[in-house]
mmCIF file of all heavy atoms in Angstrom:
data_model
loop_
_atom_site.group_PDB
_atom_site.id
_atom_site.type_symbol
_atom_site.label_atom_id
_atom_site.label_comp_id
_atom_site.label_asym_id
_atom_site.label_seq_id
_atom_site.Cartn_x
_atom_site.Cartn_y
_atom_site.Cartn_z
ATOM 1 N N ALA W 377 2.963 2.507 -22.584
ATOM 2 C CA ALA W 377 1.957 3.573 -22.671
ATOM 3 C C ALA W 377 2.556 4.949 -22.392
ATOM 4 O O ALA W 377 1.959 5.976 -22.752
ATOM 5 C CB ALA W 377 0.818 3.302 -21.701
ATOM 6 N N PHE W 378 3.736 4.986 -21.763
ATOM 7 C CA PHE W 378 4.351 6.266 -21.404
ATOM 8 C C PHE W 378 5.603 6.551 -22.231
ATOM 9 O O PHE W 378 6.342 7.484 -21.925
ATOM 10 C CB PHE W 378 4.642 6.296 -19.910
ATOM 11 C CG PHE W 378 3.376 6.320 -19.092
ATOM 12 C CD1 PHE W 378 2.737 5.156 -18.733
ATOM 13 C CD2 PHE W 378 2.803 7.527 -18.738
ATOM 14 C CE1 PHE W 378 1.546 5.174 -18.028
ATOM 15 C CE2 PHE W 378 1.613 7.563 -18.028
ATOM 16 C CZ PHE W 378 0.979 6.384 -17.669
ATOM 17 N N ALA W 379 5.794 5.771 -23.271
ATOM 18 C CA ALA W 379 6.922 6.006 -24.177
ATOM 19 C C ALA W 379 6.477 6.940 -25.299
ATOM 20 O O ALA W 379 6.349 6.555 -26.466
ATOM 21 C CB ALA W 379 7.425 4.675 -24.741
ATOM 22 N N VAL W 380 6.227 8.189 -24.964
ATOM 23 C CA VAL W 380 5.732 9.178 -25.919
ATOM 24 C C VAL W 380 6.900 9.731 -26.733
ATOM 25 O O VAL W 380 7.949 10.066 -26.176
ATOM 26 C CB VAL W 380 5.016 10.328 -25.191
ATOM 27 C CG1 VAL W 380 4.513 11.379 -26.175
ATOM 28 C CG2 VAL W 380 3.863 9.777 -24.356
ATOM 29 N N THR W 381 6.704 9.839 -28.041
ATOM 30 C CA THR W 381 7.773 10.330 -28.917
ATOM 31 C C THR W 381 7.388 11.628 -29.639
ATOM 32 O O THR W 381 8.176 12.158 -30.411
ATOM 33 C CB THR W 381 8.141 9.263 -29.961
ATOM 34 O OG1 THR W 381 6.977 8.915 -30.715
ATOM 35 C CG2 THR W 381 8.705 8.019 -29.293
ATOM 36 N N ILE W 382 6.198 12.139 -29.403
ATOM 37 C CA ILE W 382 5.754 13.376 -30.051
ATOM 38 C C ILE W 382 6.608 14.545 -29.568
ATOM 39 O O ILE W 382 6.958 14.631 -28.387
ATOM 40 C CB ILE W 382 4.271 13.645 -29.727
ATOM 41 C CG1 ILE W 382 3.408 12.458 -30.170
ATOM 42 C CG2 ILE W 382 3.784 14.929 -30.400
ATOM 43 C CD1 ILE W 382 1.967 12.571 -29.716
ATOM 44 N N ASP W 383 6.951 15.431 -30.467
ATOM 45 C CA ASP W 383 7.763 16.597 -30.112
ATOM 46 C C ASP W 383 7.087 17.394 -29.007
ATOM 47 O O ASP W 383 5.884 17.670 -29.054
ATOM 48 C CB ASP W 383 7.963 17.473 -31.348
ATOM 49 C CG ASP W 383 8.908 18.625 -31.077
ATOM 50 O OD1 ASP W 383 10.123 18.447 -31.221
ATOM 51 O OD2 ASP W 383 8.407 19.700 -30.687
ATOM 52 N N ARG W 384 7.865 17.812 -28.023
ATOM 53 C CA ARG W 384 7.297 18.505 -26.863
ATOM 54 C C ARG W 384 6.685 19.849 -27.248
ATOM 55 O O ARG W 384 5.724 20.305 -26.625
ATOM 56 C CB ARG W 384 8.366 18.696 -25.787
ATOM 57 C CG ARG W 384 8.881 17.385 -25.222
ATOM 58 C CD ARG W 384 9.512 17.557 -23.860
ATOM 59 N NE ARG W 384 10.537 18.599 -23.827
ATOM 60 C CZ ARG W 384 11.092 19.054 -22.703
ATOM 61 N NH1 ARG W 384 10.714 18.564 -21.535
ATOM 62 N NH2 ARG W 384 12.026 19.982 -22.740
ATOM 63 N N THR W 385 7.245 20.506 -28.253
ATOM 64 C CA THR W 385 6.685 21.786 -28.696
ATOM 65 C C THR W 385 5.263 21.599 -29.215
ATOM 66 O O THR W 385 4.373 22.422 -28.958
ATOM 67 C CB THR W 385 7.566 22.404 -29.794
ATOM 68 O OG1 THR W 385 8.891 22.578 -29.296
ATOM 69 C CG2 THR W 385 7.012 23.755 -30.234
ATOM 70 N N ILE W 386 5.054 20.513 -29.945
ATOM 71 C CA ILE W 386 3.712 20.208 -30.469
ATOM 72 C C ILE W 386 2.743 19.948 -29.319
ATOM 73 O O ILE W 386 1.603 20.431 -29.320
ATOM 74 C CB ILE W 386 3.781 18.997 -31.420
ATOM 75 C CG1 ILE W 386 4.595 19.339 -32.666
ATOM 76 C CG2 ILE W 386 2.377 18.526 -31.802
ATOM 77 C CD1 ILE W 386 4.838 18.163 -33.589
ATOM 78 N N LEU W 387 3.194 19.195 -28.330
ATOM 79 C CA LEU W 387 2.330 18.880 -27.193
ATOM 80 C C LEU W 387 2.010 20.120 -26.368
ATOM 81 O O LEU W 387 0.885 20.288 -25.891
ATOM 82 C CB LEU W 387 2.988 17.809 -26.310
ATOM 83 C CG LEU W 387 3.080 16.416 -26.906
ATOM 84 C CD1 LEU W 387 3.805 15.482 -25.950
ATOM 85 C CD2 LEU W 387 1.690 15.868 -27.212
ATOM 86 N N ARG W 388 2.983 20.997 -26.203
ATOM 87 C CA ARG W 388 2.715 22.217 -25.431
ATOM 88 C C ARG W 388 1.695 23.091 -26.151
ATOM 89 O O ARG W 388 0.832 23.711 -25.519
ATOM 90 C CB ARG W 388 4.019 22.973 -25.185
ATOM 91 C CG ARG W 388 4.944 22.242 -24.227
ATOM 92 C CD ARG W 388 6.173 23.043 -23.862
ATOM 93 N NE ARG W 388 7.014 22.306 -22.908
ATOM 94 C CZ ARG W 388 8.028 22.823 -22.257
ATOM 95 N NH1 ARG W 388 8.353 24.091 -22.431
ATOM 96 N NH2 ARG W 388 8.740 22.086 -21.413
ATOM 97 N N ALA W 389 1.760 23.118 -27.456
ATOM 98 C CA ALA W 389 0.766 23.864 -28.218
ATOM 99 C C ALA W 389 -0.612 23.219 -28.072
ATOM 100 O O ALA W 389 -1.629 23.920 -27.944
ATOM 101 C CB ALA W 389 1.173 23.927 -29.690
ATOM 102 N N LYS W 390 -0.647 21.904 -28.072
ATOM 103 C CA LYS W 390 -1.913 21.188 -27.922
ATOM 104 C C LYS W 390 -2.606 21.545 -26.618
ATOM 105 O O LYS W 390 -3.827 21.735 -26.572
ATOM 106 C CB LYS W 390 -1.656 19.676 -27.985
ATOM 107 C CG LYS W 390 -2.875 18.827 -27.638
ATOM 108 C CD LYS W 390 -2.556 17.339 -27.639
ATOM 109 C CE LYS W 390 -3.755 16.525 -27.164
ATOM 110 N NZ LYS W 390 -3.488 15.051 -27.180
#
Side-chain angles (χ1 to χ4, degrees):
F378 292 87
V380 179
T381 57
I382 303 172
D383 186 87
R384 296 201 308 170
T385 302
I386 294 174
L387 290 178
R388 291 186 179 191
K390 172 183 175 179

